[in-house]
Amino acid sequence: MEQEIIYTRDWVGPVFDAIAELVPDKAILITDTNVDRDVLTLQRDRIYGAVDDIITISSGESAKNLDTLAYVWKRLADAGCTRHSLVINFGGGVVSDLGGFAAATFKRGIQFVNVPTTLLAMADAAIGGKTGIDFAGYKNEVGAFAPACRVIMDEGLLSTLPERELRSGFAEVVKMALILNDPIYDELIKEDALHDSELMRRAIKMAADGKLLIVNSDPYEKGARRMLNFGHTAGHAFESYAESIGKPISHGEAVAYGMLVALRLSCDRNGYPVKKVDEYEENILKRYYEPLPFGEEAEPELQRLMAHDKKNIKNGEINWVLLK
């Protein structure tokens, strides 16, 4: 099923529309503690008129686990949900990943709608149908391809985000510009692009529409969709390792450094211009992101994590997405 993106300035209206059009027997909204406190409170009276229950999970990557998934399954069962029910995932990447996986597996699959509230989710996580949880120390180790029937995009929701969350999502926007849109990338490397609202509006739409076009042409990642993993091979390893030593970093921070690794390899193997690698390091990485919380001592474990990456065609053989 191909996904649809709806751009709006009021996310509640399109949620009402989705419920009216899909006619579920139950509509359940899943969110996290941060979004519930900072965003949902403002619309609680309106949304309670549309949904039958609200499930709130803990915020942060650590919530993407089996215990939280089981909790959501139980709440869906207790609410009397059937195969004709609807889940509305209202939050960032953790909510769309875990909520989507819960919907994809409950009663062998029920429909769900994603309403991303973070820049990271708008540019990446809410689109494409990859759902899942972390398991055994590996990111997104267990999951399913299950597309949301629609993605409701309200950029006004970004106004509540702290600076670090904006920078995390910015990495995915930069990634999409690097692989798809040189003119926008050239604008993004200008000073303080992150706080240029008109540029970011265009960049978010470029990232979301570009990803949608790719995943609709290759929903199960057999070919072209693999380009979306640019920066993620090393990035996921950085993210998992930082979590394991008690110094967690955001997904976007990890991908930002993962892209530098991929760009350097692109330079060595594909003749990618050295100037553009230096340009990325100076104008994106050093401008927006703190240094990684570890050094060369992490290399053996990082190699092990990358060798286990689920995107590898053969276990133990690391696959890279590189630029020319």
Side-chain angles (χ1 to χ4, degrees):
M1 179 179 67
E2 291 193 352
Q3 286 188 293
E4 175 189 11
I5 298 177
I6 297 170
Y7 293 95
T8 181
R9 294 180 182 273
D10 176 19
W11 63 273
V12 180
V15 167
F16 285 168
D17 293 342
I19 294 170
E21 292 168 24
L22 298 171
V23 198
D25 56 4
K26 299 282 184 180
I28 309 296
L29 186 140
I30 300 175
T31 191
D32 69 29
T33 49
N34 286 347
V35 178
D36 195 353
R37 180 193 66 228
D38 297 336
V39 183
L40 189 57
T41 301
L42 302 175
Q43 301 285 359
R44 189 170 292 274
D45 290 342
R46 292 176 69 196
I47 203 66
Y48 258 125
V51 303
D52 296 282
D53 197 7
I54 296 177
I55 300 173
T56 302
I57 64 173
S58 298
S59 61
E61 186 72 18
S62 60
K64 268 175 58 176
N65 58 51
L66 274 173
D67 289 340
T68 308
L69 180 64
Y71 169 73
V72 172
W73 280 334
K74 186 173 187 307
R75 287 288 301 273
L76 293 175
D78 290 346
C81 290
T82 72
R83 295 182 75 177
H84 305 290
S85 300
L86 175 70
V87 165
I88 300 149
N89 295 315
F90 183 65
V94 170
V95 170
S96 60
D97 282 357
L98 186 139
F101 188 42
T105 48
F106 186 78
K107 302 289 186 182
R108 295 195 177 96
I110 61 178
Q111 291 192 98
F112 65 97
V113 169
N114 284 339
V115 186
T117 62
T118 66
L119 181 53
L120 179 66
M122 289 182 185
D124 183 50
I127 306 164
K130 282 186 176 180
T131 68
I133 60 170
D134 303 339
F135 183 71
Y138 300 107
K139 186 172 172 61
N140 298 326
E141 181 76 351
V142 180
F145 285 101
C149 54
R150 63 189 69 179
V151 179
I152 297 168
M153 202 84 75
D154 180 355
E155 291 170 26
L157 293 169
L158 300 179
S159 64
T160 65
L161 289 184
E163 181 74 12
R164 188 178 182 188
E165 279 294 328
L166 283 173
R167 294 183 183 213
S168 178
F170 187 61
E172 290 287 353
V173 174
V174 170
K175 178 200 79 174
M176 294 301 294
L178 268 169
I179 65 178
L180 291 181
N181 197 302
D182 277 345
I184 284 188
Y185 178 71
D186 289 340
E187 291 187 72
L188 292 176
I189 61 176
K190 294 178 181 177
E191 189 169 351
D192 207 22
L194 182 57
H195 299 100
D196 182 334
S197 58
E198 173 56 25
L199 171 58
M200 288 307 301
R201 184 193 64 78
R202 290 188 289 113
I204 292 168
K205 192 171 189 307
M206 173 278 302
D209 289 348
K211 180 171 183 180
L212 185 66
L213 186 67
I214 292 168
V215 299
N216 280 344
S217 69
D218 180 21
Y220 298 108
E221 204 171 40
K222 302 296 184 182
R225 182 170 179 164
R226 290 175 183 167
M227 75 174 75
L228 297 174
N229 292 323
F230 178 72
H232 285 60
T233 302
H236 280 167
F238 292 155
E239 188 175 1
S240 295
Y241 182 77
E243 180 76 24
S244 73
I245 63 172
K247 298 178 180 179
I249 59 177
S250 73
H251 175 73
E253 289 167 328
V255 168
Y257 276 94
M259 285 193 285
L260 180 62
V261 174
L263 286 172
R264 285 175 173 167
L265 285 171
S266 298
C267 180
D268 292 342
R269 300 181 185 183
N270 287 346
Y272 191 75
V274 175
K275 178 183 176 182
K276 290 187 76 70
V277 181
D278 294 341
E279 188 178 63
Y280 171 83
E281 188 169 11
E282 287 298 318
N283 297 326
I284 298 294
L285 204 57
K286 291 182 179 179
R287 180 178 293 163
Y288 295 108
Y289 302 99
E290 296 293 327
L292 290 171
F294 47 80
E296 293 181 0
E297 78 285 351
E299 187 172 335
E301 179 62 10
L302 292 172
Q303 289 279 0
R304 186 188 71 79
L305 288 166
M306 286 188 286
H308 190 84
D309 194 295
K310 62 188 176 302
K311 297 183 294 294
N312 295 335
I313 297 171
K314 295 180 181 179
N315 194 31
E317 185 177 288
I318 301 171
N319 285 99
W320 296 94
V321 178
L322 304 179
L323 301 185
K324 294 183 179 180

